[in-house]
Amino acid sequence: MSEIRAGVEAARDLDDLYAVFAEGRLTAGWHKKRPSLWREPRTEFRPNRWRYADAAAAMDKAGEWMSTEDAERRNLLMFNPVGDNDYDTVRTIVTAYQMIQPGEYARSHRHTANAMRLILDGEEGVYTVVDGVKLPMRPGDFLLTPNWAWHSHYNEGTAKAYWIDFLDVPLVHRLEPMFAENLAAVHQTVEAEPDPETCPLVFTRARVVAEMAGQPVRPGGGRRLVLPTQGHVPTLSVTYVELPAGASDAAGRSTASRIFAATSGAGVARLGDGAFDWTRGDVFCLPSWHDFEIRATSDALLVEVSDEPTLRLLGFLREEPLVR
Ligand code: GTQ
Ligand code: FE2
């Protein structure tokens, strides 16, 4: 007879039985420490805002002491201020600022996590190579680095370059299909240099602004434009939000989590019960099941990155109308 079986036979009451269960790494569903089901989502992640000016100053300072040869990337992760979390921005997405100095490169690697980049500042000569395809990184551009694509970044210009990275690494952590490796050669061979206006991995600011003009004006006075990124990055969606001064964008609670980054303009955001102001380059996060309202105080263009496609595909997407 197994030890557990012997313990079960010897038990004289339920408490005896619970002790035996624990030995066997079992737990009684009617006697567990915490609930496993609840009425509606109750994320511990909190709305938060990060300042580009602070991050840029910090990366500039770090750049005096470390090079991109010392580190894989000179990036500053924006982690959600909850518990002992020190990585996730929201449950499924991590966001980081990254800076690369003139003459530097960030060596080539690849990983199963998808990455996307919003370029904030830089001059000519800044580019990323994605699977041998050389793509310029110009302010306002949005670039995709799909799952398992080799990527390395270069700054052959004369000014520092700054951008924001969005990755689904926390989702990959949760589902556990993580693979990553460095390219033995450090540099990739450049095999193509396509026109960024037609390359499916690049969305230039000019293209976004032109296509936005064809979108209908929404209640609140702004416009939205969803980028056709699904074929390359299936886990996340990318939506540009154009808000003329005084316009607003709002939505009710959703099981999707979102990150917003301001590419231009300034304004305020109510995120759940939190209130934040924001300006160009700032990032703010809206964890799942928080409603929001964003208002521009000067003409603004924001990017919203959401895990909505993942929730939708799995049958977990639920949205409420705005009730406030
Ligand atoms: O540029 O390859 O912020 O792999 C985090 C992980 C940037 C990148 C990040 C990455 C990268
Ligand atoms: Fe990477």
Side-chain angles (χ1 to χ4, degrees):
M1 194 162 29
S2 75
E3 248 178 79
I4 298 196
R5 184 65 193 276
V8 167
E9 297 303 333
R12 279 161 308 153
D13 58 20
L14 275 173
D15 284 336
D16 285 354
L17 208 49
Y18 297 149
V20 176
F21 286 167
E23 278 297 294
R25 303 292 176 253
L26 295 163
T27 192
W30 70 89
H31 187 255
K32 53 185 166 357
K33 292 195 199 94
R34 340 166 225 287
S36 55
L37 307 171
W38 39 89
R39 225 179 60 77
E40 60 177 29
R42 45 178 218 192
T43 184
E44 293 186 333
F45 285 82
R46 297 211 293 258
N48 198 50
R49 191 262 344 268
W50 292 265
R51 294 259 188 230
Y52 175 39
D54 293 343
M59 291 187 294
D60 289 352
K61 190 67 107 175
E64 294 175 19
W65 299 313
M66 47 77 67
S67 73
T68 52
E69 271 184 89
D70 305 328
E72 187 96 4
R73 299 290 188 259
R74 185 185 292 106
N75 55 349
L76 271 189
L77 300 153
M78 293 171 245
F79 69 87
N80 198 278
V82 56
D84 61 0
N85 175 55
D86 60 3
Y87 189 81
D88 307 356
T89 308
V90 291
R91 177 61 80 190
T92 51
I93 310 168
V94 67
T95 315
Y97 288 104
Q98 185 165 166
M99 188 272 277
I100 178 164
Q101 295 178 332
E104 286 185 330
Y105 65 87
R107 66 168 300 171
S108 187
H109 72 187
R110 64 177 174 177
H111 34 70
T112 46
N114 297 280
M116 310 195 288
R117 312 180 203 285
L118 173 64
I119 315 309
L120 293 174
D121 281 298
E123 290 175 7
E124 275 309 295
V126 183
Y127 61 93
T128 187
V129 181
V130 178
D131 272 347
V133 178
K134 181 173 172 176
L135 306 171
M137 299 171 105
R138 298 183 176 127
D141 291 357
F142 197 91
L143 286 85
L144 309 182
T145 308
N147 176 341
W148 213 234
W150 292 109
H151 52 286
S152 38
H153 317 307
Y154 299 84
N155 187 347
E156 294 176 352
T158 54
K160 292 172 185 168
Y162 304 80
W163 64 82
I164 299 171
D165 297 310
F166 305 86
L167 295 97
D168 57 11
V169 171
L171 176 65
V172 174
H173 285 165
R174 248 127 230 134
L175 300 178
E176 302 195 303
M178 177 67 79
F179 295 86
E181 64 185 10
N182 283 333
L183 186 70
V186 179
H187 296 293
Q188 295 172 73
T189 312
V190 173
E191 283 152 6
E193 219 176 316
D195 176 0
E197 294 300 336
T198 55
C199 174
L201 300 182
V202 181
F203 299 87
T204 63
R205 185 182 179 89
R207 176 178 162 192
V208 167
V209 168
E211 288 190 19
M212 183 68 87
Q215 299 300 308
V217 175
R218 296 158 49 86
R223 289 185 165 95
R224 281 182 158 250
L225 175 72
V226 180
L227 300 188
T229 55
Q230 286 304 287
H232 304 282
V233 176
T235 53
L236 304 175
S237 63
V238 184
T239 307
Y240 271 74
V241 184
E242 185 184 77
L243 296 176
S248 62
D249 184 76
R253 298 186 295 184
S254 166
T255 51
S257 298
R258 320 179 199 222
I259 315 260
F260 292 92
T263 75
S264 58
V268 292
R270 179 188 62 75
L271 309 172
D273 293 330
F276 304 89
D277 61 288
W278 49 267
T279 187
R280 191 183 84 89
D282 292 354
V283 170
F284 47 95
C285 71
L286 186 81
S288 62
W289 219 239
H290 287 75
D291 60 2
F292 73 92
E293 182 175 10
I294 302 169
R295 184 171 296 279
T297 51
S298 65
D299 292 357
L301 186 64
L302 298 113
V303 176
E304 176 199 279
V305 173
S306 170
D307 62 8
E308 184 184 304
T310 300
L311 285 127
R312 187 191 300 282
L313 180 68
L314 301 179
F316 295 143
L317 184 66
R318 283 211 203 189
E319 295 168 305
E320 280 187 340
L322 191 63
V323 285
R324 292 196 190 212

